[in-house]
Amino acid sequence: MPLSEHEQRLFEQIERSLAEDPKFASAVRASDPRFHARRRLLVAAGVVVVGLALLVYGAVIKTPPLAVAGFVVMLAALGYAVQSHRRSQSPDLHVVGGTTSRRRPRGRAGGRRPSLLDRMEDRWRQRPEGHR
């Protein structure tokens, strides 16, 4: 349902006043789940680099436990990154001022197969007109 003209003007006025408040903008950004997911991915990437450095350093000075520790650190950081990425893609993340529409799984091109329920809903929508 669209907003009335009066509501639209009030909304634009509130939006302008909030855009001018840097404290509020930083507070909203800090509570944005996408911001946290991006930060977790960057931290994981940094830890992967540290793990790779440990692995190479352990191999150069011929200390296998150090190289293995570097490899384990890399694996753990990659696991953390994958988990963070999956969590950031979940449809239950809501952003202040964002959309509330549920993300639908994409086909094979998107990397995920649609669930059985999604495929059944698609078939129901695409059924011939005579069966409605």
Side-chain angles (χ1 to χ4, degrees):
M1 184 166 127
L3 298 175
S4 69
E5 286 182 36
H6 176 68
E7 291 171 332
Q8 188 68 32
R9 276 186 271 127
L10 284 174
F11 180 71
E12 288 171 1
Q13 181 183 5
I14 292 170
E15 200 173 47
R16 279 192 303 271
S17 66
L18 292 177
E20 295 169 357
D21 187 6
K23 272 176 100 172
F24 179 74
S26 66
V28 169
R29 191 179 319 111
S31 66
D32 184 355
R34 292 177 300 184
F35 175 76
H36 293 296
R38 190 175 12 233
R39 186 180 65 200
R40 285 190 301 264
L41 286 173
L42 288 173
V43 166
V47 174
V48 165
V49 170
V50 168
L52 181 64
L54 278 173
L55 183 119
V56 170
Y57 184 68
V60 167
I61 64 168
K62 296 180 181 168
T63 310
L66 187 60
V68 170
F71 183 73
V72 169
V73 167
M74 282 176 45
L75 279 179
L78 286 173
Y80 181 70
V82 168
Q83 177 191 20
S84 268
H85 181 67
R86 283 185 182 164
R87 194 180 309 156
S88 72
Q89 299 299 317
S90 71
D92 59 341
L93 290 180
H94 299 289
V95 179
V96 175
T99 61
T100 58
S101 63
R102 180 174 172 242
R103 289 187 195 139
R104 294 191 51 101
R106 298 174 298 253
R108 290 184 188 264
R112 273 205 252 172
R113 278 189 74 183
S115 69
L116 175 65
L117 185 60
D118 290 329
R119 290 192 313 258
M120 288 175 62
E121 286 176 359
D122 289 340
R123 286 181 193 156
W124 180 259
R125 284 189 206 103
Q126 295 170 358
R127 70 187 186 280
E129 286 292 323
H131 296 288
R132 291 187 184 188

